[in-house]
Amino acid sequence: METTFGAARGSKLINTVPLTLVMRAALSDAGLPAPQHQALEYATVVKAHCGPNVTTVGLLATMLWVLQLHCYGITVSLWQYLCLGLLVVPSMLLIGTLMIWVQT
């Protein structure tokens, strides 16, 4: 669980793709048993897709989505997105982590 939430926090500091590559390299050097290694790689993937979605500036795709909505006259404020992100993202990370734990 620490890997998922730690990587999710880290993905806010640097882009998700470089962080995922760094995490995979770190995991490959850790010398873990195969099931544990695979579970931690899955946790990194969960982070890459969910973690940065707390704010509108987390992912380029989110920023483009908000910009496209604005072109259609739909305004999503940073506050609205942040409130929803703080509600949904931790739940998604927890559920994803639990699903990985159950599968391994």
Side-chain angles (χ1 to χ4, degrees), residues 28 33-34 49 69-70 74 82 99:
S28 67
H49 293 286
L69 285 176
H70 186 68
I74 301 169
L82 181 65
M99 290 177 69

Side-chain angles (χ1 to χ4, degrees), residues 23-38 40:
M23 292 287 293
R24 289 194 67 212
L27 290 173
S28 67
D29 291 341
L32 300 169
Q36 190 177 18
H37 182 267
Q38 185 178 23
L40 290 174

Side-chain angles (χ1 to χ4, degrees), residues 4-52:
T4 303
F5 283 91
R9 286 189 304 271
S11 67
K12 296 301 288 177
L13 300 174
I14 64 173
N15 196 352
T16 58
V17 174
L19 184 69
T20 302
L21 294 174
V22 167
M23 292 287 293
R24 289 194 67 212
L27 290 173
S28 67
D29 291 341
L32 300 169
Q36 190 177 18
H37 182 267
Q38 185 178 23
L40 290 174
E41 280 195 344
Y42 287 153
T44 300
V45 171
V46 168
K47 166 282 311 171
H49 293 286
C50 298

Side-chain angles (χ1 to χ4, degrees), residues 10-95:
S11 67
K12 296 301 288 177
L13 300 174
I14 64 173
N15 196 352
T16 58
V17 174
L19 184 69
T20 302
L21 294 174
V22 167
M23 292 287 293
R24 289 194 67 212
L27 290 173
S28 67
D29 291 341
L32 300 169
Q36 190 177 18
H37 182 267
Q38 185 178 23
L40 290 174
E41 280 195 344
Y42 287 153
T44 300
V45 171
V46 168
K47 166 282 311 171
H49 293 286
C50 298
N53 288 317
V54 173
T55 65
T56 55
V57 296
L59 290 171
L60 177 60
T62 303
M63 291 186 275
L64 293 173
W65 175 79
V66 171
L67 180 64
Q68 189 65 32
L69 285 176
H70 186 68
C71 290
Y72 287 101
I74 301 169
T75 303
V76 178
S77 73
L78 178 61
W79 180 249
Q80 290 172 314
Y81 199 94
L82 181 65
C83 288
L84 186 61
L86 288 173
L87 178 68
V88 173
V89 170
S91 303
M92 290 188 320
L93 291 173
L94 182 61
I95 291 168

